[in-house]
Amino acid sequence: MEITGQLNEIIYQNEINGYTIATLETDKEEITVVGYLPFINIGDNLKLIGKYVTHQEYGEQFKIETFEKVMPQTLSALEKYLSNGIIKGIGPSTAKKIVNTFGEETISIFKFEPEKLATIRGITKEKALLMSEEFNQNWELWQIVGFLEKFGIAVSNAKKIYKLLGVDAVRKIEEEPYILVDIARGVDFKKIDKMALDIGIPLANENRIKSGIKYSLIRVSYNGHTCVLEENLIQFVQELLGIDADLIQDKIVDLKVTKEIVVEEREDGKKWVYLAPFFKAEENIANNLIALQNAPNMKEISNFKKELKNIEKNSEIKLSDKQKEAIEAINSNNVCVITGGPGTGKTTIIKQIIEMYEKHGKKVVLCAPTGRAAKRMTETTGKDAKTLHRLLEIGKLEDDTNFENIDNNLEPIDADVIVVDEMSMVDMFLMNYLLKAIYKGTKLILVGDSDQLPSVGPGSVLEDIIKSQKIKIVHLDKIFRQAAKSKIILNAHRVNSGEPFISKEEAEENKVNEDFFFIQETSQEKIVQEVISLCKGRLKNFGNYDFFKNIQLLSPTKKGMLGTKELNKVLQEQLNPENDFKDEKSAQGVIFRQGDRIMQTKNNYDIYWEKFEPEYENGTGVFNGELGTIEKIDNIEKQIKIKFDDEKVAWYSFQDLEQIEHAYAITIHKAQGSEFDVVIIPITYSSPILLTRNLLYTGITRAKKLLIIVGDGKIINFMLQNVDTKKRNTGLKYKLENFNS
């Protein structure tokens, strides 16, 4: 059957594959439709082909087989389409004005005479042209999306493909399907390959083999690797394409000639294959680090030891020998790495450096890889810290390998001393851009803990720099007296050494603060009940801790009963249940409710925000990992008001809700770079890849005042021994060791 109508409500949509449950309003009735509908919005007019089915629980539904987006057929439908927020600057009231003014000519005005939109109050000529461009792009883009969807290619790639290939994209892809491997991140090579083979491209086709090689190198980067052994690459591509190894070897040579890949033969005779941008990034990091280190030490402070004594005397802080060594190393070198676990005095060193160099009129700039890490740096030092993306002003350039665009937009950093905290989170591309923006003679201080989880992006920058021994490293290993009274810090160091938690007797003997508790429990159901009890008020008496102010639940995984997805559902029901006085909005298969804790899950550089305390401030940009609370849901204007933990307030349209998720529970990976007063970690059996020593260590070091682990002691012991985490194949250490000036 074929039905047409306007999409009224999206009840559920899987953001990965576009599977959707929605309501469609036809001329006769409102019906529930189910099936794959990527890239659709409320207000869209659709032609659906499929059949009616009866669901045991939900009754009659229309099951979609294929679909097509069509122009709105009535003025009310057109107004609803324009009101849905898909075109920037057009909300319900503006949509009404446009349709009332131009009537049946509205679509024609958008397409061919956009300047006429400027006759409406509030729309400038510039805005009118942008609205027209976006309106037309949406329709052209739809053709590409519909085509790509047939081959399972993620809709998130559609805009990029449209931008690179233009309105003729479908024809170009049909003629040369493998072009998608070069321009679309995260594509399913096997589906592209099937498309190509179906249209008659032979197995030994040159472009097929080259794309298979490049796809394989991209795929390994998702696990943090920057390169792969040539023999392993050939074997993988052989299995992927079903062709002889000789053909692959030939195309590796061809790709070397065209400089799309690089083969690095190391001293042990092994050959490592890179995509060219990955090799170039590592090479740039090595060259720029050594060049920065070897530049004249123009920011050195004379009479340094005397200065240090004065600062120590005035601040009444007794620095350890290691801390003095670190500060002296910073003064004597242009590049210095300060590494160590919690409680070893890294923050004290940063504070002393700020005081010392600012006293001499030097400009000190603080930065960190994430918003929360920068915020924490500001809190601990009392000095403003920026994210690296903000500092480098590379926010909107999301394609990490697009060096030319990045280089053209990089401005040199105005600083005498640059301090980068949480260096373990910095990947190779971000490090490459940072070093490109530093004047020779500027001091660079890299602070971090290499035993924490590695960066999400490719590379092991901090670890490789430390292991190369080419840069001055100061390893802080002494736990300060105050920190040594914290069970959290003592247990973090024990875990890092593979030792069990401190015993009760040992803690009592050494008068250690009771800020760490392990609750032994093997049943997942009972662990969930313990977690609920702890979050619902059990900790009120212990330290007047309130979930929404002080407590954060961290899980090793997203999946399972103790994964973040299920825990978020349970905790929302328990801590912020449905209430007649609280508005809510269903999106992405979950219910967002007034009072919910949420997390931003992607960088949004354009969203407008305001701060009202301690003084008024406004700006743009909310970034991946920022936490906040839903303060208001406006179902009339279709907006959600979110107040973030740093006091900024932003309004999200319903169309933007795929950017947020519940944050009653977040993964330990997402918590990296953050600290919380109280951390609760449930631990049960999960994938051994996740149950690692450095994951446990990272989780423990997120807690400031109280840490509670609820789980199976046997799994904890497994994590302590599981140090065989996936070693990343990188070449930065090798390049630093073999640097030739």
Side-chain angles (χ1 to χ4, degrees):
M1 288 183 66
E2 180 182 298
I3 60 171
T4 58
Q6 189 172 45
L7 207 67
N8 257 356
E9 182 187 5
I10 298 171
I11 299 166
Y12 167 77
Q13 186 170 55
N14 183 312
E15 58 189 281
I16 306 298
N17 59 21
Y19 182 81
T20 303
I21 303 170
T23 59
L24 190 84
E25 188 175 337
T26 69
D27 292 339
K28 299 175 183 176
E29 60 182 340
E30 185 177 83
I31 58 174
T32 302
V33 298
V34 295
Y36 293 95
L37 288 175
F39 226 69
I40 50 100
N41 297 285
I42 293 168
D44 283 348
N45 287 261
L46 304 176
K47 179 166 74 176
L48 308 177
I49 296 170
K51 60 184 178 182
Y52 281 100
V53 295
T54 302
H55 190 280
Q56 284 183 338
E57 190 174 346
Y58 301 114
E60 191 174 61
Q61 300 175 334
F62 189 83
K63 188 175 181 182
I64 304 159
E65 290 179 11
T66 61
F67 68 98
E68 183 184 337
K69 190 172 179 180
V70 293
M71 283 285 187
Q73 301 299 304
T74 66
L75 291 180
S76 62
L78 179 58
E79 185 184 324
K80 190 170 182 181
Y81 172 75
L82 293 173
S83 297
N84 69 8
I86 195 168
I87 297 171
K88 210 169 278 183
I90 302 181
S93 62
T94 306
K96 194 175 195 68
K97 287 178 192 172
I98 292 171
V99 173
N100 285 346
T101 304
F102 301 110
E104 301 287 349
E105 298 295 312
T106 300
I107 290 173
S108 177
I109 294 291
F110 269 104
K111 282 191 160 189
F112 308 114
E113 300 176 280
E115 63 279 357
K116 287 187 177 180
L117 291 168
T119 60
I120 293 172
R121 191 175 178 182
I123 300 179
T124 62
K125 190 175 179 182
E126 186 182 1
K127 272 186 182 177
L129 293 172
L130 288 171
M131 287 172 179
S132 167
E133 187 181 329
E134 207 165 338
F135 181 89
N136 292 321
Q137 183 179 311
N138 276 318
W139 288 102
E140 290 164 358
L141 181 63
W142 181 252
Q143 303 304 313
I144 299 166
V145 170
F147 173 75
L148 294 176
E149 190 270 336
K150 294 176 188 173
F151 302 99
I153 296 167
V155 294
S156 58
N157 287 305
K159 281 192 175 176
K160 183 178 179 183
I161 292 167
Y162 171 80
K163 189 177 176 183
L164 291 169
L165 302 182
V167 291
D168 210 16
V170 172
R171 182 187 61 78
K172 289 175 183 173
I173 293 165
E174 284 179 328
E175 289 176 358
E176 180 45 73
Y178 296 109
I179 195 172
L180 290 169
V181 173
D182 289 332
I183 64 176
R185 182 176 172 83
V187 297
D188 187 332
F189 179 84
K190 289 181 180 177
K191 286 184 177 174
I192 295 171
D193 195 36
K194 184 179 183 304
M195 184 207 310
L197 296 175
D198 286 348
I199 62 174
I201 291 176
L203 285 173
N205 174 272
E206 180 179 356
N207 288 339
R208 180 175 185 257
I209 302 170
K210 287 180 178 178
S211 289
I213 293 166
K214 288 186 282 187
Y215 164 74
S216 302
L217 291 169
I218 291 167
R219 188 169 158 178
V220 299
S221 75
Y222 297 158
N223 290 322
H225 306 297
T226 65
C227 54
V228 64
L229 277 170
E230 186 179 51
E231 60 201 69
N232 292 347
L233 175 65
I234 291 171
Q235 184 183 343
F236 182 84
V237 177
Q238 216 178 341
E239 292 171 6
L240 181 71
L241 302 182
I243 56 172
D244 291 339
D246 292 346
L247 292 170
I248 300 165
Q249 187 70 65
D250 288 346
K251 295 310 162 212
I252 287 175
V253 173
D254 289 352
L255 287 167
K256 276 173 62 182
V257 171
T258 56
K259 296 184 178 178
E260 292 175 76
I261 66 169
V262 176
V263 180
E264 181 178 69
E265 186 169 352
R266 298 183 189 166
E267 289 168 353
D268 58 5
K270 290 181 178 178
K271 293 180 179 180
W272 293 87
V273 187
Y274 292 79
L275 282 170
F278 287 72
F279 181 85
K280 192 67 181 168
E282 282 190 349
E283 191 174 60
N284 287 344
I285 292 169
N287 292 348
N288 287 327
L289 265 179
I290 300 295
L292 186 61
Q293 179 177 255
N294 292 341
N297 189 359
M298 296 186 292
K299 314 298 180 187
E300 187 174 20
I301 296 171
S302 55
N303 298 321
F304 179 76
K305 291 194 175 178
K306 185 181 176 183
E307 291 273 356
L308 193 57
K309 276 184 183 176
N310 287 338
I311 283 179
E312 232 183 323
K313 185 179 176 183
N314 294 336
S315 62
E316 297 181 354
I317 291 174
K318 179 70 177 168
L319 296 171
S320 70
D321 290 341
K322 273 285 185 184
Q323 284 179 313
K324 288 177 185 174
E325 180 192 332
I327 296 169
E328 287 178 21
I330 289 164
N331 193 52
S332 305
N333 296 274
N334 285 331
V335 187
C336 187
V337 175
I338 310 298
T339 184
T344 55
K346 298 190 294 292
T347 301
T348 301
I349 291 169
I350 296 172
K351 284 180 178 176
Q352 300 304 318
I353 289 299
I354 294 168
E355 185 177 342
M356 185 177 291
Y357 283 92
E358 285 189 343
K359 184 182 171 186
H360 284 264
K362 310 290 186 192
K363 184 176 179 181
V364 181
V365 168
L366 306 183
C367 56
T370 66
R372 287 193 66 81
K375 179 174 179 272
R376 187 160 68 93
M377 202 178 186
T378 299
E379 289 168 350
T380 55
T381 63
K383 184 176 171 63
D384 186 48
K386 292 183 178 180
T387 65
L388 281 164
H389 280 80
R390 275 287 187 211
L391 180 66
L392 297 169
E393 297 181 347
I394 57 172
K396 294 185 183 180
L397 297 167
E398 292 287 350
D399 184 353
D400 286 334
T401 61
N402 196 343
F403 289 157
E404 189 177 338
N405 282 349
I406 295 280
D407 290 350
N408 290 341
N409 284 273
L410 281 177
E411 291 288 334
I413 300 167
D414 177 21
D416 297 301
V417 181
I418 299 169
V419 184
V420 187
D421 200 9
E422 295 289 353
M423 259 303 296
S424 63
M425 300 175 72
V426 177
D427 66 30
M428 63 184 291
F429 292 115
L430 200 50
M431 188 64 178
N432 177 38
Y433 306 142
L434 173 64
L435 289 167
K436 279 175 174 282
I438 296 177
Y439 285 113
K440 299 296 177 282
T442 300
K443 284 190 178 293
L444 177 63
I445 306 164
L446 307 175
V447 182
D449 184 348
S450 61
D451 294 317
Q452 287 192 25
L453 292 167
S455 59
V456 174
S460 300
V461 176
L462 180 61
E463 187 179 1
D464 282 357
I465 291 172
I466 291 170
K467 286 184 175 177
S468 75
Q469 298 184 342
K470 286 288 183 176
I471 302 297
K472 177 64 180 176
I473 314 289
V474 179
H475 190 98
L476 304 171
D477 50 11
K478 179 189 173 184
I479 305 174
F480 281 84
R481 187 180 300 169
Q482 188 178 351
K485 292 297 178 185
S486 166
K487 216 171 175 183
I488 295 172
I489 289 174
L490 289 175
N491 277 329
H493 285 274
R494 282 183 168 242
V495 164
N496 202 27
S497 303
E499 299 171 28
F501 300 149
I502 188 170
S503 68
K504 189 177 180 181
E505 294 74 25
E506 205 176 342
E508 286 174 357
E509 185 182 333
N510 291 288
K511 297 180 181 175
V512 176
N513 297 332
E514 286 291 328
D515 57 5
F516 179 110
F517 296 92
F518 171 58
I519 301 171
Q520 166 68 26
E521 186 54 73
T522 55
S523 161
Q524 291 195 33
E525 289 81 3
K526 288 183 180 176
I527 293 173
V528 170
Q529 291 308 311
E530 284 281 359
V531 165
I532 291 169
S533 172
L534 289 163
C535 292
K536 279 191 82 173
R538 192 161 135 200
L539 297 177
K540 278 273 184 188
N541 295 332
F542 189 85
N544 198 26
Y545 295 125
D546 173 77
F547 183 86
F548 290 95
K549 292 177 183 174
N550 314 99
I551 302 170
Q552 184 61 57
L553 193 63
L554 304 182
S555 173
T557 179
K558 288 182 178 181
K559 298 176 182 177
M561 188 183 289
L562 293 172
T564 55
K565 288 192 175 180
E566 289 302 316
L567 286 171
N568 274 319
K569 287 180 190 173
V570 170
L571 289 173
Q572 184 196 38
E573 287 170 12
Q574 295 290 330
L575 300 169
N576 190 30
E578 188 178 357
N579 184 313
D580 290 342
F581 301 103
K582 289 183 177 180
D583 289 319
E584 54 185 50
K585 166 66 183 167
S586 178
Q588 284 83 52
V590 298
I591 293 170
F592 290 110
R593 186 174 294 134
Q594 194 177 334
D596 276 346
R597 289 288 289 158
I598 61 90
M599 173 186 273
Q600 177 80 9
T601 59
K602 57 178 73 171
N603 290 338
N604 183 334
Y605 298 91
D606 299 316
I607 197 162
Y608 175 77
W609 53 260
E610 294 178 292
K611 277 187 188 180
F612 301 94
E613 293 176 5
E615 56 187 40
Y616 182 78
E617 186 185 347
N618 62 10
T620 57
V622 179
F623 302 102
N624 187 2
E626 291 199 52
L627 294 166
T629 303
I630 294 175
E631 287 201 328
K632 186 177 180 181
I633 297 176
D634 188 333
N635 284 301
I636 296 172
E637 291 295 324
K638 298 179 179 177
Q639 290 182 315
I640 286 185
K641 179 184 179 184
I642 298 173
K643 185 174 185 179
F644 288 91
D645 289 357
D646 63 355
E647 302 297 324
K648 65 173 173 273
V649 175
W651 284 91
Y652 283 61
S653 78
F654 285 178
Q655 302 298 323
D656 294 329
L657 296 186
E658 86 280 356
Q659 297 178 25
I660 63 171
E661 63 184 29
H662 285 127
Y664 295 93
I666 62 175
T667 62
I668 293 173
H669 279 86
K670 282 283 189 183
Q672 198 169 356
S674 305
E675 276 189 342
F676 310 95
D677 286 344
V678 180
V679 169
I680 301 169
I681 306 177
I683 290 180
T684 187
Y685 181 77
S686 181
S687 167
I689 294 171
L690 292 171
L691 298 175
T692 62
R693 183 190 293 177
N694 66 350
L695 186 95
L696 181 60
Y697 174 68
T698 302
I700 290 171
T701 55
R702 299 310 91 204
K704 284 197 285 188
K705 297 179 180 177
L706 180 64
L707 175 76
I708 303 168
I709 295 178
V710 187
D712 189 340
K714 289 179 181 175
I715 303 295
I716 301 283
N717 290 333
F718 174 81
M719 294 177 84
L720 291 174
Q721 305 310 315
N722 188 16
V723 289
D724 190 26
T725 52
K726 280 188 175 177
K727 185 185 178 302
R728 293 188 168 189
N729 297 324
T730 65
L732 178 58
K733 173 177 173 283
Y734 176 79
K735 290 175 180 63
L736 284 165
E737 288 172 340
N738 294 274
F739 176 81
N740 293 312
S741 55

